[in-house]
Amino acid sequence: MELPLETVALFALKLAYEREGESPILRDDPIMSDYEREVFGLLVRRGDVEGIQFRVAHCVGLALEAIGGVDTPLGRELHRLSADFGNARTIEQLEAPAIALKDYLKDIQ
């Protein structure tokens, strides 16, 4: 579960901060410090659904701004997927929406 969450954060931050011609954002980049697999792993082990949703929502919000907000086709779909993730109430319910977010963010890179 931790890997898809870290990947969602990575792809979202890439959309928000990566610029053409600059070094790419990688998993070991300082910007990823609050979104590392170990951080998500701790939250998963604690069962902290709200903490996970808060971290993912922050990253997805930055990505949403970068693609023009909810008034764009890409933004509407990202917002919908984010809402599905935010509606989960258990760790198990987070898995499918996290994978959908990850796949979508990867596709729109």
Side-chain angles (χ1 to χ4, degrees):
M1 178 69 188
E2 297 87 355
L3 182 59
L5 294 170
E6 180 187 43
T7 305
V8 166
L10 177 64
F11 287 152
L13 293 174
K14 282 177 166 290
L15 275 173
Y17 296 120
E18 219 173 64
R19 301 292 173 251
E20 193 171 323
E22 294 179 7
S23 296
I25 295 173
L26 304 172
R27 279 180 158 67
D28 62 349
D29 197 285
I31 199 167
M32 289 293 296
S33 64
D34 289 338
Y35 308 101
E36 292 176 335
R37 193 175 316 163
E38 292 81 19
V39 172
F40 282 118
L42 178 62
L43 294 171
V44 167
R45 285 189 299 281
R46 289 182 179 170
D48 188 352
V49 173
E50 290 178 4
I52 293 166
Q53 288 170 325
F54 176 80
R55 288 189 189 289
V56 169
H58 179 259
C59 294
V60 170
L62 293 170
L64 192 57
E65 282 182 39
I67 61 173
V70 296
D71 294 329
T72 65
L74 292 175
R76 281 190 293 276
E77 182 64 10
L78 182 56
H79 179 71
R80 184 188 68 75
L81 293 170
S82 178
D84 290 346
F85 186 82
N87 288 332
R89 296 292 159 238
T90 66
I91 294 294
E92 294 77 23
Q93 292 174 341
L94 288 174
E95 190 164 355
I99 291 169
L101 267 173
K102 173 189 66 86
D103 292 344
Y104 185 71
L105 288 164
K106 180 181 179 185
D107 288 345
I108 65 173
Q109 288 292 304

